[in-house]
Amino acid sequence: MNTNKNTGAVECGNCSTCQKCGQAECPEGKKFYTMIIYSENFAGILNQITAVFTRRQVNIESLNVCASSTPGVHKYTITCFCSEEMAIMLTKQIEKKIDVLQAHYFTDKDIFTMEACLLKLSTQHIMENPEVGHIVRQHGARIVEVNPTYSIVEMKGSTDDILSLFRKLDELKAVLQFVRSGRIAVTKLRVELLDKYLAEREREQ
């Protein structure tokens, strides 16, 4: 995933045919989707899920896997650029996997999201340029490690805020390393979709 430095808009990085990234609506009909998938905790499930994207030639932008609040169930949070028709197709194909319990796709208005990042900065740049520290504080980030060679900055927030911090520090030539986590997300629904599904399955049994 890229960001247009002039407009700040997220780009899919795969629009070589139209060259119009940065517009509010992609001319090719692609949007940024977050897919939340629940599966049994068995080896090999991740390969089965990512294979669905590979077969459809959809690039995964970020992927986070963790244990869910339900014992024995893992949660996958995957982001990608595609059309809504493709998002529907992907979730249906993923749900056909024998050990997958549920798969849903969401736009950003349907979910709460967060990412985390770590930046390794040149301590010399921080000491010589007060603007570096100002930018870190302005973005609500914090310095968690300092030594004579480098300093580590940690930040949690939205993708846009994290990329804004990185771009501003990178323009000052202060960044030695930069890494972002995969997106984590929860829905805005009052009832967890998985809990509803498991309750219905229990009643059927």
Side-chain angles (χ1 to χ4, degrees), residues 16 87 103 132 176 192:
S16 57
V132 174
L176 301 176
E192 175 61 63

Side-chain angles (χ1 to χ4, degrees), residues 63-195:
L63 186 153
N64 178 281
V65 184
C66 64
S68 73
S69 57
T70 304
V73 176
H74 268 48
K75 180 178 181 178
Y76 303 75
T77 306
I78 301 175
T79 63
C80 66
F81 280 95
C82 64
S83 64
E84 185 172 14
E85 290 77 9
M86 179 60 73
I88 293 170
M89 186 181 300
L90 289 169
T91 51
K92 285 183 177 180
Q93 289 296 316
I94 291 169
E95 277 197 329
K96 288 181 179 179
K97 303 300 178 183
I98 192 168
D99 296 314
V100 171
L101 300 173
Q102 274 193 327
H104 300 279
Y105 70 93
F106 303 91
T107 59
D108 282 0
K109 66 182 177 63
D110 301 318
I111 52 178
F112 293 104
T113 67
M114 180 179 286
E115 289 187 14
C117 78
L118 291 174
L119 298 104
K120 180 190 282 186
L121 308 181
S122 166
T123 300
Q124 181 180 351
H125 274 72
I126 295 175
M127 299 298 292
E128 294 176 352
N129 190 346
E131 181 66 14
V132 174
H134 174 70
I135 291 171
V136 170
R137 292 190 298 273
Q138 186 183 48
H139 284 75
R142 64 191 187 104
I143 297 176
V144 295
E145 171 71 24
V146 179
N147 64 48
T149 306
Y150 62 84
S151 300
I152 303 296
V153 172
E154 174 193 71
M155 180 179 172
K156 299 172 185 176
S158 69
T159 304
D160 290 342
D161 290 342
I162 286 174
L163 290 177
S164 173
L165 172 65
F166 166 70
R167 288 197 302 272
K168 290 181 179 180
L169 292 176
D170 193 46
E171 288 173 358
L172 297 177
K173 308 298 183 185
V175 180
L176 301 176
Q177 292 183 35
F178 171 63
V179 63
R180 287 165 51 203
S181 70
R183 168 180 280 197
I184 56 175
V186 293
T187 68
K188 294 182 179 179
L189 300 172
R190 182 174 181 178
V191 179
E192 175 61 63
L193 290 171
L194 178 65
D195 293 341

Side-chain angles (χ1 to χ4, degrees), residues 27-66:
E28 295 190 348
K30 293 183 179 180
K31 293 183 179 179
F32 192 61
Y33 289 102
T34 298
M35 299 186 182
I36 297 178
I37 302 155
Y38 293 96
S39 80
E40 304 283 358
N41 184 19
F42 295 124
I45 302 299
L46 179 59
N47 285 340
Q48 294 182 43
I49 291 172
T50 56
V52 175
F53 289 83
T54 302
R55 284 198 299 271
R56 299 294 178 182
Q57 296 185 327
V58 175
N59 187 48
I60 292 175
E61 299 296 329
S62 70
L63 186 153
N64 178 281
V65 184
C66 64

